[in-house]
Amino acid sequence: MTAEAATAEPVATEPATTGAAAGKPTTSSAAGLRAFAAVGVLAALYVAIALPFVVAALLVGLTVRGFGLFTSGQAVLVAEIVIALTALVLEIAGPRRLPSGISVTARDQPRLWALVRATARELDVPEPDGIVLTGGTVAELRAVRRPGITLHHHLVLGACVPASLTEPRLRAVVATALAARRRRRPPLPDQLALHGLDMVTGLADAARQRGVLGDAARQFAARYTRLCAPVLDLQQRTQDRYAAGVYGTGAVADGLDALRRLRTAWQWYRRGYVHAGMASGCLPADPLGDFRALLADPVRARDLAELPAGDPPHPLAVRADRLRARPLDAKVALRGGTDGITLGFDEPRRVAAHLYAYLLACDDDGIAPAGAFAALDRLTALDREAFLRQVSGYRAAYRASRLAPAARHAGAEMPVTLGGVLGLLVEGKGERIAQEHRPPGATASSADTGPDSPTAAALGALLACAWVDAGRARWKTTWSGQDDVTAHDGSSLDLAALAAKALAGPDGARTLRTAIRDAGVSSYYEVRMPVSFAAAQERETAVGHR
């Protein structure tokens, strides 16, 4: 994971799918044709995988029976049997792309199981064979053929979903997942096509890092997923309508909107904090508690309340809007859980301890990439305040380090220091620094040296790191996404305004130089890439600078 990926603010949208998710409704006939095509592709895949075994079986048969094996037509029968056995082995014991998590029984989580069973009873569908808690914000019903050879249906829930949604919204979200087991099942080709998704993506994961074979498997899985997108969209739309026919359009759409906001907030937390922490060598000690704190932050709460549907629209926003376009009355009123009161877990600390690695390693869908758990062993867990300060310092140091090559190209001597950057600004080279700081291919703009420009943000981050390194400030522990600093007495330091004025012209640069001298900050502070938490401990600083 690169530092750039760890410090970038995530986009609030997911990849759009074809069909309705892209603004075009999927018809039953179009989905049916795609399903038949997908089944044909699956059959061709089975033949391709079984081909070496077919050749081996035919060679053995040729040795035993001679050419009579081919003239009698038995060769075709042998090939069909080998292909069928290969498909059976792949189905029973082949790789699968399935969420990673822990299975909880009714004894472990009686309230959660009671809610799921009541929802299944009101929907008139069978209750799931199990509930699996994992990381991320996934909420779906998955069919697995293990243990044994029969299909088992498990409700997979990201731990943030029952921990953060109110009971009515949680029931609405669970209903859209359990509706997959409604009495009127999808056509057989649709079921086979969607069931093959886990197998195809599982094969791609198993063949990863195997050269040409891995690349071919990955491309095949991507194309098969696109082929099945209309089928998946149609089935999701049918499940949403079925749930809305029981609980009403308003309740189900509100649950989907709440899940969309929750998924966006979780992306903010993982990409903005967990990934940055992992890049800097540390982990949060309480991910679920931190996530609740992020949701309670006034800035984040306002952003979530005003969250747009996105462009292209978020798939969950499309599903909610599609339901509201054809409203249905409720047959069962959702009760329980006043607004703001979540269902939560029984023994939450025990659940958080068991799910700790999954919350940090799994992606938004509860899938753990290869080697994700092993990477956690080398990292240090920090409490909330220490973790926030470490992450803020790391992100700010990374942004500040991006200013070093720009200053070097603008004329600063090596090594690039705060004084060297300040000298360029006093000489009126702010625009030159902004020009060199622009990403490749970007066009010049009057906002390059404005207060909201990336160059001003990088200079502000440099000043914040220098102030903290000199012991004149400390990182502000906040979930707003801003890496701000405060004085030790708690008063605010508006270093961003000083940076914007210094970038605007020589007068502002002289004012900044005076502020640096009055604060006792060293102008020899070196602009460099941040180091990991272990190296930072050895150097006795927060971000790896002397």
Side-chain angles (χ1 to χ4, degrees), residues 20 30 45 87 107 118 143-144 148 156-157 196 265 269 298 317 321 339 353 364 366 403 405-406 474 483 500 503:
L45 176 64
R107 178 178 298 180
V144 295
V156 181
L157 289 176
Y269 175 67
D321 292 341
D339 191 23
D364 296 337
L403 201 62
R474 60 183 177 181
D483 300 321
L503 199 61

Side-chain angles (χ1 to χ4, degrees), residues 10-370:
V11 180
T13 60
E14 294 180 352
T17 59
T18 60
K24 300 177 181 178
T26 302
T27 62
S28 300
S29 58
L33 291 175
R34 289 292 190 99
F36 275 108
V39 172
V41 170
L42 276 180
L45 176 64
Y46 288 137
V47 172
I49 295 176
L51 187 59
F53 304 104
V54 172
V55 173
L58 291 179
L59 289 176
V60 173
L62 181 63
T63 303
V64 176
R65 296 291 303 276
F67 287 100
L69 178 71
F70 297 95
T71 58
S72 64
Q74 293 179 347
V76 177
L77 181 61
V78 170
E80 291 177 347
I81 292 175
V82 172
I83 293 172
L85 289 176
T86 302
L88 182 62
V89 170
L90 282 175
E91 174 62 26
I92 295 177
R96 286 288 186 273
R97 182 175 174 84
L98 296 172
S100 304
I102 59 172
S103 178
V104 293
T105 63
R107 178 178 298 180
D108 299 326
Q109 296 296 322
R111 287 188 298 159
L112 180 59
W113 265 100
L115 181 143
V116 172
R117 284 170 172 166
T119 304
R121 186 168 55 252
E122 292 169 351
L123 291 176
D124 193 20
V125 298
E127 66 181 52
D129 299 311
I131 297 178
V132 176
L133 296 178
T134 183
T137 53
V138 61
E140 61 182 1
L141 195 69
R142 301 298 294 263
V144 295
R145 205 178 290 278
R146 297 165 193 168
I149 61 174
T150 59
L151 281 177
H152 302 274
H153 295 84
H154 295 272
L155 178 64
V156 181
L157 289 176
C160 300
V161 177
S164 305
L165 292 183
T166 61
E167 186 172 335
R169 290 171 173 171
L170 177 59
R171 290 180 66 141
V173 170
V174 169
T176 61
L178 296 182
R181 301 198 69 187
R182 61 195 182 278
R183 290 184 178 180
R184 187 177 179 181
R185 299 294 177 84
L188 182 59
D190 294 33
Q191 297 184 51
L192 293 176
L194 296 179
H195 186 70
L197 272 174
D198 287 335
M199 189 271 292
V200 170
T201 52
L203 286 174
D205 289 344
R208 184 182 300 173
Q209 297 180 349
R210 296 197 177 183
V212 177
L213 178 62
D215 294 339
R218 177 178 52 81
Q219 293 177 9
F220 180 85
R223 293 180 179 178
Y224 185 82
T225 301
R226 289 196 298 269
L227 181 64
C228 292
V231 185
L232 182 62
D233 176 72
L234 179 63
Q235 297 310 315
Q236 189 64 73
R237 182 174 62 186
T238 306
Q239 292 173 212
D240 292 344
R241 292 287 296 174
Y242 186 86
V246 176
Y247 292 132
T249 297
V252 176
D254 181 64
L256 294 176
D257 283 337
L259 183 61
R260 175 172 63 94
R261 292 191 293 270
L262 188 69
R263 187 161 295 177
T264 300
W266 181 249
Q267 291 174 353
W268 287 345
Y269 175 67
R270 270 185 56 79
R271 301 178 188 179
Y273 293 91
V274 176
H275 288 179
M278 293 174 68
S280 66
C282 65
L283 295 171
D286 183 15
L288 283 179
D290 291 349
F291 184 60
R292 286 193 294 268
L294 183 143
L295 292 175
D297 184 84
V299 176
R300 296 294 194 179
R302 185 189 68 242
D303 292 341
L304 288 174
E306 301 172 353
L307 186 68
D311 184 21
H314 193 287
L316 289 172
V318 172
R319 290 169 58 184
D321 292 341
R322 191 165 52 194
L323 283 176
R324 294 188 179 100
R326 298 174 59 193
L328 294 173
D329 295 330
K331 297 179 181 177
V332 179
L334 286 176
R335 306 184 192 87
T338 57
D339 191 23
I341 305 300
T342 62
L343 178 70
F345 294 111
D346 297 280
E347 300 185 53
R349 291 189 177 182
R350 182 166 175 258
V351 172
H354 283 301
L355 287 174
Y356 181 75
Y358 299 100
L359 289 167
L360 299 174
C362 294
D363 60 16
D364 296 337
D365 294 324
I367 306 294

